[in-house]
């Protein structure tokens, strides 16, 4: 399977769709009677003055989520191949994203983090372009706007504002105007939100939007045992990827090295920003699948022993399907 996607063959799009369906089949067989879909935060509910939470039937909800994942997988594949991050074109980034986006059952339905992944991919296109940009002020302003829009949809997305400053540190010399313009871009969206609050006589509530940022980081997370088991092959692949990256780090182009550094920081930010949610939800970690798919693709492209990497991916694939039918 991995060897098939190592090649940049347009026919792999068909196989990608087949695998996407296979990774959701177990959930479709026993889909719940009702699935809620919330794509804006409560403080931004004024922007969507209609009831939409149960607009889709459960089966349609899952199918639409799969379509979005498929489109995002192709976008990620295009991004990584366009910037030659892996050294040669392949369909591995798309395969890894489709696989990781099926890891847990909360990943399989429409959710705010899934919508935000479009914004994160858009950000990556712009962030990587900072490296060769002569004047980055307009790009940085746009990035601030994107993070602000993402915050309206899913508030933990606000922490990806740090990714803008980290990218400026990695890709460019320090220029304080670029750092400030990112803030102005973010503030623009919330200025218009404040106007809407004012027009609805709700301005005193506006300052409460940022109260979750002061929430204490949790001491422990309560997740099921099957979640731990599914994370075993994921952690193994990540560790092997970092070893492989370390071996080839100084053999890569400067832009490639810097981009993987940025992806690592984005992975950390998306992993740790879950805590400001009122309730812990596994769907948050869909944001991690965008940078993780690049790391996974890098490992599987350069892994040496075919029997080992094929077995490792097959183990992950079978585990995902097994736990959709059997919850421990």
């Amino acid at each position: 399977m991995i060897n098939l996607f190592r090649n940049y063959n347009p026919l792999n799009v068909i196989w990608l769709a087949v695998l996407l369906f296979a990774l959701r089949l177990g959930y479709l067989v026993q889909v719940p009677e009702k699935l809620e879909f919330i794509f804006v935060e409560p403080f931004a509910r004024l922007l969507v003055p209609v009831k939409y939470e149960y607009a889709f039937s459960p089966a349609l909800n899952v199918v639409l989520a799969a379509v979005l994942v498929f489109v995002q997988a192709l976008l990620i594949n295009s991004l990584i191949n366009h910037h030659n991050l892996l050294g040669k074109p392949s369909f591995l980034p798309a395969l890894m994203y489709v696989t990781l986006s099926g890891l847990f059952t909360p990943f399989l339905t429409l959710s705010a983090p899934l919508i935000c992944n479009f914004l994160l991919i858009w950000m990556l296109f712009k962030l990587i372009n900072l490296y060769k940009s002569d004047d980055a002020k307009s790009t940085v302003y746009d990035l601030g706007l994107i993070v602000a829009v993402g915050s309206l949809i899913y508030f933990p997305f606000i922490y990806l504002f740090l990714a803008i400053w980290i990218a400026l540190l990695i890709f460019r010399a320090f220029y304080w105007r670029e750092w400030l313009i990112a803030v102005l871009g973010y503030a623009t969206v919330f200025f218009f939100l404040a106007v809407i609050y004012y027009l609805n006589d709700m301005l005193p509530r506006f300052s409460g939007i940022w109260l979750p940022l002061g929430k204490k980081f949790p001491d422990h997370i309560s997740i099921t045992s099957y979640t731990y088991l599914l994370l075993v092959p994921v952690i193994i692949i990540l560790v092997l990827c970092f070893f492989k990256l370390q071996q080839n780090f100084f053999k890569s182009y400067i832009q490639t090295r810097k981009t993987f550094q940025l992806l690592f920081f984005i992975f950390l930010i998306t992993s740790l920003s879950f805590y400001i949610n009122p309730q812990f939800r596994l769907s948050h970690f869909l944001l991690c699948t965008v940078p993780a798919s690049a790391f996974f693709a890098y490992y599987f492209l350069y892994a040496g022993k075919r029997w080992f990497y094929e077995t490792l991916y097959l183990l992950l694939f079978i585990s995902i399907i097994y736990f959709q039918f059997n919850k421990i």
Side-chain angles (χ1 to χ4, degrees), residues 60-224:
L60 182 59
N61 185 306
V62 177
V63 170
L64 288 175
V67 171
L68 295 184
V69 166
F70 188 74
V71 174
Q72 289 170 354
L74 295 180
L75 288 172
I76 291 171
N77 205 74
S78 175
L79 168 71
I80 292 176
N81 288 332
H82 176 73
H83 291 285
N84 197 29
L85 296 184
L86 302 182
K88 63 178 182 178
S90 73
F91 263 93
L92 283 175
L95 173 65
M96 294 302 118
Y97 184 75
V98 163
T99 304
L100 290 171
S101 65
L103 194 61
F104 304 116
T105 51
F107 287 11
L108 305 179
T109 60
L110 290 172
S111 63
L114 179 60
I115 303 300
C116 282
N117 272 354
F118 279 109
L119 298 177
L120 179 52
I121 295 166
W122 189 13
M123 282 184 67
L124 284 172
F125 272 102
K126 288 182 171 292
L127 288 169
I128 298 173
N129 284 332
L130 287 174
Y131 180 71
K132 294 182 179 179
S133 178
D134 294 327
D135 187 1
K137 290 192 284 292
S138 61
T139 300
V140 171
Y141 182 81
D142 291 344
L143 286 164
L145 289 173
I146 294 170
V147 173
V149 171
S151 303
L152 298 179
I153 297 171
Y154 186 61
F155 191 58
F157 199 82
I158 190 174
Y159 278 109
L160 281 164
F161 187 87
L162 297 175
I164 303 174
W165 283 350
I166 291 171
L168 289 173
L169 278 175
I170 293 174
F171 291 133
R172 301 180 64 80
F174 179 76
Y175 187 45
W176 67 268
R177 285 185 177 86
E178 293 176 350
W179 290 57
L180 180 60
I181 286 172
V183 178
L184 292 176
Y186 187 89
T188 299
V189 172
F190 276 85
F191 169 77
F192 286 107
L193 182 64
V195 171
I196 295 172
Y197 266 64
Y198 173 76
L199 294 175
N200 287 273
D201 296 323
M202 297 173 59
L203 195 57
R205 302 185 192 177
F206 186 73
S207 60
I209 291 174
W210 290 275
L211 290 178
L213 295 176
K215 185 179 177 182
K216 184 180 177 182
F217 197 83
D219 297 326
H220 66 281
I221 305 170
S222 179
I223 57 177
T224 60

Side-chain angles (χ1 to χ4, degrees), residues 21-33 35 58-59 62-63 105 108 321 324-327:
F21 175 75
L23 287 168
R24 282 153 175 77
L25 181 60
Y27 191 66
L28 280 169
V29 169
Q30 47 188 359
V31 67
E33 294 183 2
L35 283 175
V62 177
V63 170
T105 51
L108 305 179
I321 295 176
Q324 284 179 12
F325 286 98
N326 302 274
K327 298 291 171 53

Side-chain angles (χ1 to χ4, degrees), residues 250-295:
F250 292 105
K251 300 176 185 177
S252 306
Y253 292 109
I254 294 175
Q255 183 179 8
T256 301
R257 297 203 299 262
K258 289 178 177 290
T259 301
F260 272 108
Q261 289 172 8
L262 175 62
L263 288 171
F264 175 73
F265 283 112
I266 290 176
F267 180 77
L268 287 181
I269 291 168
T270 53
S271 298
L272 299 176
S273 58
F274 70 89
Y275 79 98
I276 62 174
N277 277 334
Q279 296 178 338
F280 173 75
R281 293 183 179 180
L282 273 175
S283 59
H284 167 86
F285 297 100
L286 262 170
L287 293 172
C288 303
T289 59
V290 174
S293 60
F295 292 125

